[in-house]
């Protein structure tokens, strides 16, 4: 049977997604190019052999425009024969890039693909300025999609998740991330990023807030309450009321999410080498894992963020596996309620999920996160000498991505 092998995964640190952040002064093409070259330097492959560079990116405009995958490969000085393509599945873009790489290799159409993602959120692009429906009133009339923070609060409302439950999850994420950083658990995959003058821009995680407590989080005002009370242009309803059109059994949305229990805004890039067994053997590359199965699922797009459970179930079913067969899970912490919903839907044990912290502590560089999580779970599987990992994410538009990997 054909296999899609993971040779390695590397990533940049996550920099704060502000103008004062350490990576703001480095163009996103340059951030990604440095990650690409770190992979090349570690394994010594000929970039002429690369069948494709597949990268996810949620923005796709401004500094992220013009097919950033190809432009970053050129910026890195890779062979002109190494092509590149950029895709957008919102927050799941980086994971989808790796999944597509696996499909290309498994089909026999490709032998050597580098896949991942990039996002510099400190360099705002005009993404989503018109909302998910992009000024299409026909679509809006069918699915009045709102900002994801409102959707996350809607999940908490409909599922009965309290603010305290969400905050406890966030504190746990911070504590786990602080321990992982202190023990150097990310060091194998971390690529320092340099400025143009050769000085170090960032060589560590910049976003985590170690020592965060429940009392600290209790002081934060809900981030999306005022937004929800805002009346949409050309509509008489508030944004909250608009979302509730799809959930008429609920009279109001309880706003429980804030900066502390939502994913952090950060910059970063990541990349994964996916090859066929024949290519790896011929070029002396040692595989760390194989991609067992991938899946994507869609759910109701107004509540938007509930698909990690269905995507995971589909992925497990296709692989002939159950949740109990998975040793470690990375579920993207877009918002605390997303993780709580995933745990409820799948029966997964929180003790096996996000053991090194997640996006509430480390940040979520949209297009880069999925491929970052693949590397994170692989490193941790090796550290704990365990076998099988699952990665899943919610995305805009009511979708979810999932990937199962197994150490070789």
């Amino acid at each position: 049977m054909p296999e899609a092998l993971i040779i390695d995964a590397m990533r940049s640190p996550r920099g704060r997604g502000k103008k004062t952040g350490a990576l703001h002064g480095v163009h996103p093409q340059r951030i990604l190019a440095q990650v690409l070259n770190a992979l090349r330097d570690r394994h010594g492959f000929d970039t002429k052999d690369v069948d494709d560079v597949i990268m996810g990116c949620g923005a796709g405009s401004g500094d992220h425009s013009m097919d950033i995958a190809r432009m970053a490969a050129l910026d890195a000085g890779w062979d002109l024969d190494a092509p590149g393509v950029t895709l957008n599945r919102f927050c799941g873009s980086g994971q989808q890039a790796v999944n597509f790489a696996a499909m290309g290799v498994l089909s026999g159409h490709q032998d050597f693909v580098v896949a991942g993602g990039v996002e510099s959120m400190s360099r705002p692009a005009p993404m989503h300025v018109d909302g998910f429906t992009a000024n299409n009133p026909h679509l809006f009339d069918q699915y009045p999609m709102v900002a994801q923070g409102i959707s996350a609060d809607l999940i908490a409302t409909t599922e009965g998740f309290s603010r305290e439950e969400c905050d406890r999850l966030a504190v746990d994420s911070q504590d786990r991330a602080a321990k992982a950083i202190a023990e150097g658990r990310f060091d194998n995959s971390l690529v320092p990023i340099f400025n143009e003058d050769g000085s170090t821009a960032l060589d560590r995680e910049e976003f985590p807030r170690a020592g965060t407590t429940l009392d600290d989080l209790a002081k934060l005002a809900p981030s999306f309450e005022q937004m929800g009370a805002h009346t949409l242009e050309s509509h008489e309803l508030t944004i909250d009321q608009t979302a509730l059109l799809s959930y008429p059994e609920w009279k109001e949305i309880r706003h429980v999410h804030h900066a502390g229990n939502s994913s952090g805004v950060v910059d970063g890039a990541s990349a994964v080498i996916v090859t066929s067994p024949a290519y790896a053997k011929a070029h002396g590359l040692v595989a760390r894992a194989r991609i067992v199965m991938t899946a994507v699922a869609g759910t109701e797009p107004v509540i938007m963020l509930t698909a990690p459970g269905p995507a995971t179930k589909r992925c497990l079913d296709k692989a002939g596996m159950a949740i109990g067969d998975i040793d470690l899970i990375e579920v993207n912490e877009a918002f605390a309620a997303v993780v709580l919903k995933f745990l409820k839907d799948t029966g997964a044990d929180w003790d096996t999920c996000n053991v090194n912290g997640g996006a509430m502590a480390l940040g979520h560089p949209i297009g880069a996160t999925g491929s970052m999580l693949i590397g994170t779970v692989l490193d941790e599987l090796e550290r704990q000498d365990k076998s099988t990992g699952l990665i899943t994410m919610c995305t805009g538009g009511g979708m979810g991505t999932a990937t199962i990997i197994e150490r070789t």
Side-chain angles (χ1 to χ4, degrees), residues 245-301:
L245 290 174
S246 299
Y247 295 85
E249 66 272 28
W250 297 94
K251 301 304 180 184
E252 64 178 6
I253 295 176
R254 290 186 300 104
H255 293 283
V256 301
H257 289 95
H258 49 73
N261 61 24
S262 305
S263 55
V265 175
V266 293
D267 301 340
S270 57
V272 179
I273 300 174
V274 181
T275 77
S276 66
Y279 183 91
K281 182 178 180 180
H283 294 83
L285 299 175
V286 179
R288 297 174 63 192
R290 69 184 183 95
I291 297 174
V292 176
M293 187 56 63
T294 74
V296 63
T299 54
E300 198 281 307

Side-chain angles (χ1 to χ4, degrees), residues 372-383:
M372 285 185 171
L373 297 185
I374 290 171
T376 296
V377 80
L378 178 53
D379 284 342
E380 187 62 18
L381 286 170
E382 292 175 344
R383 191 185 75 84

Side-chain angles (χ1 to χ4, degrees), residues 152 155-156 159 161 165-166 168-170 172-173 176 257 261-263 305-309 329-354 357-360 392-394:
I155 293 172
E159 296 292 337
F161 301 143
E165 285 179 282
C166 293
R168 286 189 182 280
L169 209 67
D172 209 6
S173 183
R176 293 178 179 191
H257 289 95
N261 61 24
S262 305
S263 55
L305 308 173
T306 58
I329 297 170
E330 288 289 329
V331 51
N332 188 41
E333 296 173 356
F335 300 91
V338 173
V339 180
L340 292 170
K341 174 65 170 167
F342 168 80
L343 296 173
K344 182 177 180 179
D345 286 348
T346 63
D349 185 344
W350 174 238
D351 288 342
T352 68
C353 297
N354 302 2
M360 289 186 288
T392 188
M393 308 181 69
C394 62

